[in-house]
Amino acid sequence: MILLFSQCFCLVLFDRILHGKVKDVSRWYLLHIVTNILITFYTYDAFVLLYKNPYRLINDQFFIIDEAFIVFFIHIYHCIAYNCTKDDIIHHLTFSIIGPFIGCIIPVGYCGKLIIFFICGFPGIFDYITAVLREERFISRQTKLKC
């Protein structure tokens, strides 16, 4: 758990270092890229298991507290550190409380990790990379839509 807290501290430090160096929206996207990489690291084993042993993927049940905490942390941090609209706050509180809470009280196991892998992990890395490139005007909106 200490490792998890130190990783979250590093995310905040990374965000603070970027403050003033890039647009706020780009900073948020960059923080998302790093967070998605971290989530992918924590959930990759479920993705591998999907191909190697899907039966175990379904039958092994355990709590996903570490993964849930990262999802919780990044959503709450966004509400605290950034100017959010009402819709942003509703989205972030919903996804940071309901989803992680389920992973902490119900042993969802590898299936839960797989859901997090796809919703908050690997695919988002590329989406947010193109978002940063677009915000910082390295690519056009049309190029981002093609990616």
Side-chain angles (χ1 to χ4, degrees):
M1 198 58 141
I2 291 174
L3 177 63
L4 195 58
F5 282 115
S6 62
Q7 289 167 340
C8 290
F9 173 77
C10 287
L11 288 172
V12 172
L13 186 62
F14 176 71
D15 186 51
R16 296 289 93 198
I17 289 169
L18 290 175
H19 189 60
K21 292 179 177 55
V22 294
K23 296 176 189 174
D24 278 352
V25 70
S26 294
R27 184 169 53 103
W28 175 242
Y29 293 152
L30 287 165
L31 185 61
H32 248 298
I33 292 166
V34 175
T35 304
N36 284 32
I37 290 169
L38 186 60
I39 289 170
T40 299
F41 172 77
Y42 275 96
T43 59
Y44 181 72
D45 59 333
F47 182 73
V48 171
L49 199 58
L50 175 65
Y51 291 101
K52 286 187 173 182
N53 189 351
Y55 179 77
R56 183 171 166 215
L57 179 88
I58 295 167
N59 289 319
D60 284 4
Q61 299 300 310
F62 51 86
F63 299 102
I64 54 170
I65 294 170
D66 290 351
E67 298 82 353
F69 183 79
I70 296 168
V71 173
F72 170 80
F73 174 80
I74 198 64
H75 284 89
I76 294 299
Y77 180 73
H78 188 200
C79 289
I80 294 169
Y82 290 82
N83 292 326
C84 295
T85 66
K86 182 180 175 184
D87 290 340
D88 285 337
I89 292 170
I90 291 169
H91 159 80
H92 285 84
L93 291 179
T94 302
F95 282 97
S96 68
I97 294 172
I98 295 172
F101 183 71
I102 290 170
C104 292
I105 64 166
I106 299 171
V108 293
Y110 288 110
C111 288
K113 288 178 83 167
L114 196 60
I115 290 167
I116 292 174
F117 178 86
F118 283 109
I119 292 177
C120 302
F122 189 70
I125 295 169
F126 303 102
D127 189 36
Y128 286 111
I129 287 172
T130 58
V132 169
L133 293 174
R134 189 216 166 282
E135 280 300 319
E136 296 299 319
R137 308 240 189 263
F138 289 107
I139 61 173
S140 70
R141 180 169 169 75
Q142 281 70 30
T143 303
K144 181 187 181 295
L145 293 174
K146 292 177 187 175
C147 289

